[in-house]
Amino acid sequence: MGNDIKIRVLGCGASAGVPLIGCDCAVCRSDNPKNQRTRVSILIEQEGQRLLVDTSPDLRQQCLRHDIRTVDAICFTHAHADHCHGIDDLRPLNFHRGSVIPAYGDPVAMEEIVPRFSYAFKPPVPEYGWFRPALEAHLVDVENWTAFSVGNMRVQPFPQMHGKLTTLGLRVGNFAYSTDVHHLPDKAREILEGVEVWIVDCLRRGASPTHAHLDLTLEWISQVKPKRAILTHMSHEFDYDALKAELPEGVEPGYDGMEIVLS
Ligand SMILES: [Zn+2]
Ligand SMILES: [Zn+2]
Ligand SMILES: [Zn+2]
């Protein structure tokens, strides 16, 4: 239906992905495809509009896997490499769209991303075709919690703490996404109120200065009380089946390719 929100988990792995290069642990050696986690990214779709959240280094593989040919906008949660270094693979998306893609991010993130990938923010040169990605930077005013729109999709950003860095949490309808966060400020909790489905950071079992760990994630979930909580940004410490079996009702690990529909 028109107002349905469809979310595709494109990747749910920690910054180095799972399996880790050169690791012989049971999870990295597992045959279960749900233990193979590319770097975090999701695609949110509503009323025919598609918002890609982050451009992970695995973007190419993620687009091929799900036949994603183009998107209507991108939102960067922050400037860490595992969230934006797939930026060059946007070129075919520009090609299929035939135009520049709007890219949203807060000023802290865009101050790093725009100079780091300056070529992607230059105006296209039509006679050369899409020889480089073509993005148009839009600053998200998270200080004033100003929502932005992708067609009729309303995206409400909220601030999160990720070590000393701020990251963007996003709410669309009754869905919210919180990756790379170790502390939820009051404003984030306010915007999360009444959310039905929440995808939330859960790096590992042990505490981290920059990410939520299992106990902390579960504590937040018991406070926010979504109907359904899905864990993301998971390291190789988590075996999908074992983690699923130990989680309380309404909480589940995410997996690459997972699809969620909210009506
Ligand atoms: Zn990350
Ligand atoms: Zn491993
Ligand atoms: Zn990060």
Side-chain angles (χ1 to χ4, degrees):
M1 295 300 288
N3 274 332
D4 282 2
I5 302 167
K6 195 174 105 182
I7 295 104
R8 174 78 73 180
V9 175
L10 300 176
C12 64
S15 59
V18 181
L20 279 178
I21 293 173
C23 184
D24 293 321
C25 82
V27 174
C28 289
R29 293 278 164 177
S30 160
D31 290 332
N32 184 349
K34 289 179 177 165
N35 280 331
Q36 288 171 11
R37 306 180 179 117
T38 60
R39 269 61 72 84
V40 291
S41 179
I42 59 167
L43 184 71
I44 309 176
E45 202 170 337
Q46 189 183 32
E47 295 198 36
Q49 295 292 311
R50 307 211 287 177
L51 173 67
L52 175 67
V53 182
D54 293 325
T55 58
S56 96
D58 299 311
L59 179 64
R60 177 173 175 276
Q61 189 185 338
Q62 293 164 344
C63 287
L64 288 172
R65 202 182 266 175
H66 300 291
D67 196 20
I68 297 166
R69 297 174 185 208
T70 195
V71 295
D72 298 287
I74 292 158
C75 182
F76 291 109
T77 57
H78 62 303
H80 281 164
D82 53 323
H83 296 258
C84 55
H85 283 207
I87 203 165
D88 203 62
D89 289 324
L90 291 172
R91 278 185 299 144
L93 281 69
N94 279 119
F95 171 80
H96 288 294
R97 181 183 158 86
S99 62
V100 173
I101 304 174
Y104 293 85
D106 72 8
V108 179
M110 293 314 250
E111 229 167 72
E112 287 208 37
I113 293 170
V114 175
R116 194 186 302 162
F117 302 103
S118 60
Y119 69 101
F121 293 90
K122 286 181 181 160
V125 185
E127 60 268 34
Y128 290 175
W130 301 100
F131 68 105
R132 61 186 180 212
L135 301 179
E136 185 179 74
H138 293 263
L139 295 184
V140 172
D141 180 9
V142 69
E143 293 267 307
N144 294 303
W145 317 292
T146 309
F148 63 92
S149 293
V150 181
N152 288 330
M153 184 196 303
R154 183 178 183 277
V155 185
Q156 175 64 61
F158 53 89
Q160 307 178 140
M161 291 312 297
H162 177 36
K164 287 179 183 156
L165 192 68
T166 55
T167 59
L168 284 188
L170 302 173
R171 178 166 179 165
V172 176
N174 285 331
F175 167 73
Y177 186 60
S178 292
T179 190
D180 295 65
V181 51
H182 86 284
H183 171 71
L184 285 175
D186 289 345
K187 192 66 198 179
R189 290 171 184 271
E190 200 180 301
I191 289 170
L192 283 165
E193 234 166 76
V195 85
E196 273 179 43
V197 177
W198 189 27
I199 298 184
V200 55
D201 190 2
C202 185
L203 178 66
R204 60 189 188 201
R205 292 182 191 275
S208 154
T210 49
H211 287 271
H213 61 292
L214 185 57
D215 288 345
L216 180 59
T217 307
L218 291 176
E219 188 187 316
W220 289 346
I221 292 168
S222 71
Q223 294 160 350
V224 172
K225 297 186 177 62
K227 282 189 190 148
R228 190 175 173 196
I230 295 156
L231 311 185
T232 195
H233 215 292
M234 292 174 288
S235 81
H236 68 149
E237 277 187 25
F238 292 128
D239 172 71
Y240 178 86
D241 289 332
L243 180 60
K244 191 172 187 201
E246 74 174 82
L247 289 174
E249 214 188 307
V251 187
E252 61 199 297
Y255 56 89
D256 282 25
M258 185 181 205
E259 188 185 73
I260 303 136
V261 180
L262 281 89
S263 45

